[in-house]
Amino acid sequence: MTSSLKQLTLFNQGLGKTSRFAKGLDGTLQAIEHLGYVQIDTISVVERAHHHILWSRVPDYDLNHLNSLVRERQIFEYWYHAASYLPMKDYRYALPAMMSVRKGESRYFNRGDQQLMNEILARVRAEGNIRLRDIDKNNKKSLGNWWNTGPGRRAFEQLYMQGDLMICERNGMEKVYDLTERCLPENIDLTMPTLYEYAQYLFNNTLRAHGAFTWKQLVHLKKNDLKEAMRVVLKEQVDAGVVSAVKLADGQTLYVDVAAIEQKLTTDFALKILSPFDNSLIHRDRLTSLFEFDYRIECYVPAAKRVYGYFCLPILYQDELVGRLDCKAHRSIKELEVISLHLEKTIKDKEHFFFELDQELKRFAAFNKCLTVNDKVIKLIRTKI
């Protein structure tokens, strides 16, 4: 049963050998709509997480696809459990969070100076889209980095989080903002969802994207009133036979898509190097219970306390997470360096595994705009096992 559950959730995540998404721009939109969100991250030791997640799933993925879809008003940036790209069709489900910020209920986005926010909105309304650094470009001597690190940044963040501004483009990680009214498509539904509707939306996202999930996953970082609404939705889905509860060996309860598990998937899973922020990995408790893979990212840990490396990338092989790879893209010399490799599962056909790993590293290097792979560590390990 556990093997079937692994295959189900990996298949639902779009990580099968044959992609469930179209190629290129269409496939990128399909993937985001299917997953419900793609997390944005700033770490660039290898290509950033939002691109890596989509590259792992979409044939012929290109880094320009996200900006293209934003310009076409097919996706937008906002907060899911973190900064993310979201389907534009789901925009109304961001409204409760925006309203909460506007009311001053946010713990993190409540420090914007109202006068500065009014000035920013007036300027954008009169002059068009704007970057944070545009504010002080004509007055650098007097303001220095004041806008970038203090009240200016807080004003921008609050305007964005309360829904007055949207990010209409990114140049690398630099954000370009415009008025929300200019970024939204015509006839978009702006009806505020009820708690029950919002719980339904979260449930449907999780069911579609994972197929097997925990209660903690359903209500990740959500407040008590939403949790109560989710209890109602979950009970309805269990009573209707849409999902059923399955106990794992460690006592964890998974809620499983009944129709999907009855299909008895026979999907093949190629070796994939995954982002630490991949949607399939983000719920660590479920990952440990289902895959017996205890994963923690170590870039926020002091170097002396790291076990696996700064930015270790989980390795998916067949339907198992078998180890992790610490890599760094040296862009100036166009070399992808493998700093360390840790294998944590018994691999029966080691020759096949290392062949697939070699092929995937070449693909990953090209994705990172590197021409060569420095894999001395892998060659050394391979001679010892």
Side-chain angles (χ1 to χ4, degrees):
M1 182 63 171
T2 302
S3 179
S4 297
L5 293 174
K6 290 176 185 176
Q7 291 181 13
L8 169 62
T9 192
L10 291 171
F11 175 78
N12 276 35
Q13 276 288 298
L15 291 171
K17 182 176 284 188
T18 303
S19 177
R20 63 182 300 161
F21 306 117
K23 293 182 179 180
L25 191 65
D26 289 343
T28 302
L29 177 59
Q30 287 175 9
I32 294 170
E33 290 185 339
H34 178 80
L35 296 171
Y37 75 96
V38 169
Q39 184 172 336
I40 300 168
D41 194 67
T42 60
I43 297 171
S44 60
V45 64
V46 292
E47 188 54 73
R48 290 183 173 93
H50 39 292
H51 295 305
H52 189 168
I53 292 164
L54 292 164
W55 173 80
S56 296
R57 294 163 168 80
V58 180
D60 297 332
Y61 174 72
D62 186 275
L63 272 58
N64 294 315
H65 288 160
L66 290 171
N67 268 342
S68 296
L69 291 171
V70 170
R71 283 194 294 269
E72 293 175 9
R73 303 179 184 186
Q74 300 274 12
I75 63 174
F76 72 103
E77 286 193 37
Y78 197 63
W79 210 256
Y80 198 71
H81 68 268
S84 301
Y85 285 101
L86 300 155
M88 186 64 80
K89 65 183 182 64
D90 293 341
Y91 181 81
R92 69 183 289 246
Y93 297 105
L95 295 176
M98 293 177 185
M99 181 60 70
S100 178
V101 174
R102 191 178 295 279
K103 288 180 177 179
E105 297 171 350
S106 170
R107 179 180 175 184
Y108 303 103
F109 303 104
N110 60 1
R111 298 177 296 160
D113 180 271
Q114 190 60 55
Q115 182 177 341
L116 292 181
M117 292 194 294
N118 290 342
E119 290 175 8
I120 291 168
L121 288 175
R123 180 166 172 178
V124 177
R125 190 169 286 110
E127 301 178 13
N129 61 45
I130 196 170
R131 301 164 298 179
L132 183 61
R133 64 189 168 108
D134 289 334
I135 292 293
D136 68 338
K137 67 180 180 182
N138 296 321
N139 198 17
K140 287 183 179 177
K141 286 186 178 179
S142 62
L143 292 179
N145 290 323
W146 182 74
W147 277 95
N148 283 325
T149 58
R153 178 175 291 278
R154 293 197 292 269
F156 265 99
E157 288 176 346
Q158 185 160 337
L159 286 168
Y160 164 69
M161 288 300 297
Q162 68 188 31
D164 292 313
L165 293 179
M166 289 182 74
I167 296 168
C168 62
E169 186 179 354
R170 275 184 184 259
N171 299 312
M173 290 305 292
E174 183 182 45
K175 305 166 189 175
V176 183
Y177 296 89
D178 204 345
L179 296 177
T180 294
E181 61 206 54
R182 293 177 184 157
C183 299
L184 292 176
E186 294 181 5
N187 304 317
I188 191 168
D189 186 355
L190 296 176
T191 308
M192 182 72 71
T194 65
L195 269 176
Y196 176 77
E197 287 176 319
Y198 186 57
Q200 283 184 312
Y201 155 74
L202 292 175
F203 179 90
N204 290 335
N205 269 4
T206 308
L207 178 68
R208 181 184 65 249
H210 294 279
F213 48 89
T214 64
W215 167 257
K216 189 174 180 180
Q217 190 174 344
L218 275 177
V219 295
H220 182 57
L221 299 178
K222 298 300 184 288
K223 295 180 180 178
N224 287 335
D225 55 354
L226 192 280
K227 291 178 182 178
E228 291 307 310
M230 185 63 80
R231 291 186 199 282
V232 174
V233 170
L234 180 58
K235 184 177 186 306
E236 289 175 348
Q237 298 299 315
V238 171
D239 291 346
V242 174
V243 294
S244 63
V246 173
K247 279 272 196 210
L248 297 180
D250 67 352
Q252 177 107 255
T253 298
L254 284 185
Y255 295 95
V256 180
D257 184 333
V258 172
I261 200 68
E262 288 176 352
Q263 291 177 7
K264 301 188 185 302
L265 294 172
T266 56
T267 302
D268 290 331
F269 298 96
L271 188 148
K272 289 183 183 287
I273 297 169
L274 299 178
S275 167
F277 299 99
D278 195 278
N279 297 51
S280 65
L281 306 171
I282 208 69
H283 296 283
R284 309 297 198 211
D285 291 347
R286 191 207 61 160
L287 193 70
T288 302
S289 293
L290 186 55
F291 287 91
E292 298 177 327
F293 190 71
D294 185 14
Y295 182 71
R296 299 291 184 274
I297 190 168
E298 295 184 337
C299 55
Y300 308 115
V301 175
K305 294 184 178 181
R306 291 177 195 146
V307 177
Y308 299 107
Y310 178 79
F311 203 64
C312 270
L313 311 173
I315 303 170
L316 174 66
Y317 179 60
Q318 298 174 352
D319 61 358
E320 296 280 358
L321 290 160
V322 298
R324 53 199 101 192
L325 199 67
D326 193 24
C327 294
K328 180 176 175 60
H330 298 278
R331 295 174 178 87
S332 61
I333 60 173
K334 298 186 182 302
E335 179 185 86
L336 179 72
E337 180 188 8
V338 179
I339 300 168
S340 67
L341 169 65
H342 299 270
L343 296 178
E344 299 157 53
K345 297 284 177 73
T346 300
I347 298 169
K348 295 179 181 177
D349 189 345
K350 294 184 177 65
E351 285 304 310
H352 183 258
F353 168 79
F354 280 108
F355 172 79
E356 289 215 2
L357 180 59
D358 179 65
Q359 297 303 303
E360 182 69 353
L361 277 169
K362 289 175 182 175
R363 287 185 64 242
F364 192 59
F367 169 59
N368 281 276
K369 296 182 173 55
C370 294
L371 300 176
T372 59
V373 180
N374 182 342
D375 60 351
K376 294 177 184 176
V377 168
I378 293 177
K379 289 175 180 174
L380 181 62
I381 291 172
R382 192 172 180 177
T383 61
K384 293 182 177 180
I385 62 174

